[in-house]
Short mmCIF file of all heavy atoms in Angstrom, two decimals:
data_model
loop_
_atom_site.label_atom_id
_atom_site.label_comp_id
_atom_site.label_asym_id
_atom_site.label_seq_id
_atom_site.Cartn_x
_atom_site.Cartn_y
_atom_site.Cartn_z
N THR A 240 125.43 -36.64 35.84
CA THR A 240 126.01 -37.35 34.70
C THR A 240 125.10 -38.48 34.22
O THR A 240 125.08 -38.81 33.04
CB THR A 240 127.39 -37.93 35.07
OG1 THR A 240 127.25 -38.84 36.17
CG2 THR A 240 128.35 -36.83 35.45
N GLY A 241 124.31 -39.07 35.15
CA GLY A 241 123.42 -40.18 34.76
C GLY A 241 122.36 -39.77 33.77
O GLY A 241 121.91 -40.59 32.95
N GLN A 242 121.91 -38.51 33.82
CA GLN A 242 120.91 -38.03 32.86
C GLN A 242 121.40 -38.17 31.43
O GLN A 242 120.61 -38.33 30.50
CB GLN A 242 120.58 -36.56 33.14
CG GLN A 242 119.94 -36.31 34.50
CD GLN A 242 118.49 -36.73 34.56
OE1 GLN A 242 117.89 -37.10 33.54
NE2 GLN A 242 117.90 -36.69 35.74
N PHE A 243 122.71 -38.12 31.25
CA PHE A 243 123.30 -38.21 29.92
C PHE A 243 123.79 -39.62 29.60
O PHE A 243 123.54 -40.15 28.51
CB PHE A 243 124.46 -37.21 29.82
CG PHE A 243 125.37 -37.44 28.65
CD1 PHE A 243 124.97 -37.12 27.36
CD2 PHE A 243 126.64 -37.97 28.84
CE1 PHE A 243 125.81 -37.33 26.28
CE2 PHE A 243 127.49 -38.18 27.78
CZ PHE A 243 127.08 -37.86 26.49
N THR A 244 124.49 -40.25 30.57
CA THR A 244 125.16 -41.51 30.27
C THR A 244 124.22 -42.72 30.24
O THR A 244 124.40 -43.63 29.43
CB THR A 244 126.28 -41.77 31.29
OG1 THR A 244 125.72 -41.78 32.62
CG2 THR A 244 127.35 -40.70 31.21
N ILE A 245 123.23 -42.76 31.14
CA ILE A 245 122.34 -43.93 31.19
C ILE A 245 121.53 -44.10 29.91
O ILE A 245 121.52 -45.19 29.31
CB ILE A 245 121.44 -43.88 32.44
CG1 ILE A 245 122.29 -44.06 33.70
CG2 ILE A 245 120.37 -44.97 32.38
CD1 ILE A 245 121.52 -43.92 35.00
N PRO A 246 120.84 -43.05 29.41
CA PRO A 246 120.14 -43.21 28.13
C PRO A 246 121.09 -43.54 26.98
O PRO A 246 120.73 -44.30 26.07
CB PRO A 246 119.48 -41.84 27.92
CG PRO A 246 119.36 -41.26 29.28
CD PRO A 246 120.56 -41.74 30.02
N LEU A 247 122.32 -42.99 27.03
CA LEU A 247 123.29 -43.27 25.96
C LEU A 247 123.69 -44.74 25.98
O LEU A 247 123.76 -45.40 24.93
CB LEU A 247 124.52 -42.39 26.15
CG LEU A 247 125.56 -42.43 25.03
CD1 LEU A 247 124.97 -41.88 23.73
CD2 LEU A 247 126.79 -41.62 25.43
N MET A 248 123.92 -45.31 27.16
CA MET A 248 124.27 -46.73 27.26
C MET A 248 123.13 -47.60 26.77
O MET A 248 123.35 -48.58 26.04
CB MET A 248 124.62 -47.08 28.72
CG MET A 248 126.00 -46.65 29.16
SD MET A 248 126.45 -47.29 30.80
CE MET A 248 125.79 -46.02 31.86
N LYS A 249 121.91 -47.26 27.14
CA LYS A 249 120.75 -48.06 26.69
C LYS A 249 120.61 -48.00 25.17
O LYS A 249 120.29 -49.01 24.54
CB LYS A 249 119.48 -47.53 27.36
CG LYS A 249 119.40 -47.83 28.86
CD LYS A 249 118.18 -47.20 29.50
CE LYS A 249 116.89 -47.78 28.95
NZ LYS A 249 115.70 -47.19 29.62
N ARG A 250 120.88 -46.83 24.60
CA ARG A 250 120.73 -46.68 23.14
C ARG A 250 121.72 -47.56 22.39
O ARG A 250 121.44 -48.00 21.27
CB ARG A 250 120.92 -45.21 22.76
CG ARG A 250 120.74 -44.91 21.28
CD ARG A 250 120.35 -43.46 21.07
NE ARG A 250 121.36 -42.54 21.53
CZ ARG A 250 122.33 -42.05 20.75
NH1 ARG A 250 122.40 -42.41 19.49
NH2 ARG A 250 123.21 -41.21 21.23
N PHE A 251 122.87 -47.83 23.00
CA PHE A 251 123.88 -48.63 22.31
C PHE A 251 123.92 -50.08 22.78
O PHE A 251 124.93 -50.76 22.61
CB PHE A 251 125.25 -47.97 22.45
CG PHE A 251 125.46 -46.86 21.48
CD1 PHE A 251 124.96 -45.60 21.74
CD2 PHE A 251 126.09 -47.07 20.27
CE1 PHE A 251 125.11 -44.56 20.85
CE2 PHE A 251 126.25 -46.05 19.36
CZ PHE A 251 125.76 -44.78 19.64
N GLY A 252 122.84 -50.57 23.38
CA GLY A 252 122.70 -52.00 23.60
C GLY A 252 122.84 -52.50 25.02
O GLY A 252 122.60 -53.68 25.28
N TYR A 253 123.24 -51.65 25.95
CA TYR A 253 123.34 -52.10 27.33
C TYR A 253 121.95 -52.23 27.92
O TYR A 253 121.07 -51.40 27.68
CB TYR A 253 124.15 -51.10 28.17
CG TYR A 253 125.64 -51.14 27.92
CD1 TYR A 253 126.25 -50.28 27.03
CD2 TYR A 253 126.44 -52.06 28.60
CE1 TYR A 253 127.62 -50.31 26.80
CE2 TYR A 253 127.80 -52.11 28.39
CZ TYR A 253 128.39 -51.23 27.49
OH TYR A 253 129.73 -51.28 27.27
N LYS A 254 121.76 -53.27 28.74
CA LYS A 254 120.49 -53.44 29.42
C LYS A 254 120.30 -52.31 30.44
O LYS A 254 121.26 -51.77 30.98
CB LYS A 254 120.44 -54.80 30.12
CG LYS A 254 120.46 -55.98 29.15
CD LYS A 254 120.43 -57.30 29.90
CE LYS A 254 120.44 -58.48 28.93
NZ LYS A 254 120.46 -59.78 29.64
#
Side-chain angles (χ1 to χ4, degrees):
T240 60
Q242 297 285 352
F243 165 73
T244 57
I245 292 176
L247 187 65
M248 283 188 272
K249 289 175 65 178
R250 182 155 62 92
F251 279 82
Y253 285 95
K254 295 179 180 178

